Amino acid sequence: MSFSLASYAASCGVPDPEGFAALSRQLREIIVETNRTMNLTRITEPEEFAVKHVADSIAIAREFPFLTSEYTKIADIGCGAGFPSLVLALAFPNLRLTAIDSTGKKAAFVERAAKELGLKNVRVIHGRSCELNRRPEIRHQFDVVTARAVAPAPVIYLDACDFIKRKSGRFILYKTPQQAAEDLPALEIACRKLPVLWHATEPFELPENAGQRLFLYSTPR
Ligand SMILES: C[S@@+](CC[C@H](N)C(=O)[O-])C[C@H]1O[C@@H](n2cnc3c(N)ncnc32)[C@H](O)[C@@H]1O
């Protein structure tokens, strides 16, 4: 394998890159085992998993370095098999992840995987984003909302704008440049009368030429 996940993790500010790489390998094994009875992901070959799921998930910390050290409460909508939530929880002990998925089996998987990996900074909620914003443990509780490969950004924002802390909370959404080209104008229209502005980071290349990514993120207007 030419790709070194530990080196990439170090470049993202992960405090224990070798320990993180080992736990990421364990996460892959749990997913491969579970994939026999349930369809979690097609990306399971070790290097492809390390690049397209793990490196992709932690790239957020290169663009938003406060995530490497500040106590931050994150709601990850549509966590699926745990991307980015489980990976971020493994990488950064300062983060508190709430992994949300509308599919009960996926939520149950993430709960079990977090337990097997010994993670104390993850909790899991089974539910749809649009149905959760009245819950006291959700409403205005989060510093950051993430979503990766879930719904168009305006849908995520309108569903979950009440998840974030008033004034300081923000959305950071994982996107390809192509997705962002559709989402950014739609966000600007959907949010034109709302107290939020949207921005895109510069596109960056995933390791091993695995494709371009960027983040769409909000700031208060
Ligand atoms: C394509 S998967 C992506 C999973 C993961 N974020 C990733 O990047 O691998 C989308 C996931 O979002 C969940 N989902 C879709 N819409 C949702 C919503 N409104 N609220 C919560 N979960 C949702 C689905 O059940 C599914 O597990």
Side-chain angles (χ1 to χ4, degrees), residues 35-53:
N35 252 352
R36 292 181 187 168
T37 51
M38 163 183 182
N39 186 15
L40 286 171
T41 175
R42 283 180 293 108
I43 299 171
T44 55
E45 183 276 323
E47 179 161 317
E48 199 183 9
F49 181 88
V51 171
K52 291 189 180 168
H53 280 324

Side-chain angles (χ1 to χ4, degrees), residues 6-60:
S7 302
Y8 185 79
S11 78
C12 295
V14 173
D16 175 11
E18 295 291 347
F20 168 72
L23 286 166
S24 298
R25 287 193 288 275
Q26 198 182 331
L27 171 60
R28 190 192 75 86
E29 284 163 17
I30 297 170
I31 287 175
V32 167
E33 176 64 31
T34 310
N35 252 352
R36 292 181 187 168
T37 51
M38 163 183 182
N39 186 15
L40 286 171
T41 175
R42 283 180 293 108
I43 299 171
T44 55
E45 183 276 323
E47 179 161 317
E48 199 183 9
F49 181 88
V51 171
K52 291 189 180 168
H53 280 324
V54 182
D56 189 36
S57 292
I58 57 173
I60 193 172

Side-chain angles (χ1 to χ4, degrees), residues 77-80 83 101-103 106 127-129 148-150:
I77 295 177
C79 61
F83 308 115
D101 206 284
S102 54
T103 303
K106 292 193 178 163
R128 282 199 82 76
S129 50
R148 176 185 182 260
V150 186

Side-chain angles (χ1 to χ4, degrees), residues 65-201:
F66 72 94
L67 294 170
T68 65
S69 58
E70 290 178 23
Y71 178 90
T72 307
K73 289 174 73 178
I74 301 179
D76 180 36
I77 295 177
C79 61
F83 308 115
S85 33
L86 282 178
V87 176
L88 291 178
L90 288 173
F92 302 111
N94 53 298
L95 303 181
R96 296 293 173 273
L97 272 300
T98 297
I100 297 168
D101 206 284
S102 54
T103 303
K105 283 184 175 179
K106 292 193 178 163
F109 167 78
V110 173
E111 186 132 45
R112 177 169 63 80
K115 206 171 171 187
E116 288 184 27
L117 292 162
L119 286 168
K120 301 271 185 268
N121 55 344
V122 178
R123 75 174 164 175
V124 181
I125 294 181
H126 170 214
R128 282 199 82 76
S129 50
C130 58
E131 295 164 354
L132 298 173
N133 60 22
R134 287 180 184 277
R135 289 205 198 176
E137 74 272 28
I138 298 275
R139 194 172 179 79
H140 300 310
Q141 294 302 306
F142 294 99
D143 303 293
V144 173
V145 167
T146 57
R148 176 185 182 260
V150 186
V155 175
I156 295 291
Y157 177 72
L158 295 173
D159 277 0
C161 54
D162 287 333
F163 286 26
I164 56 173
K165 291 181 179 170
R166 288 192 179 89
K167 295 189 180 154
S168 62
R170 62 175 112 178
F171 283 68
I172 308 178
L173 305 177
Y174 290 73
K175 295 287 169 185
T176 64
Q178 293 77 9
Q179 290 167 338
E182 284 186 20
D183 277 2
L184 201 48
L187 278 168
E188 278 157 6
I189 293 169
C191 299
R192 67 190 181 283
K193 292 185 179 160
L194 300 175
V196 62
L197 290 171
W198 286 93
H199 319 269
T201 64

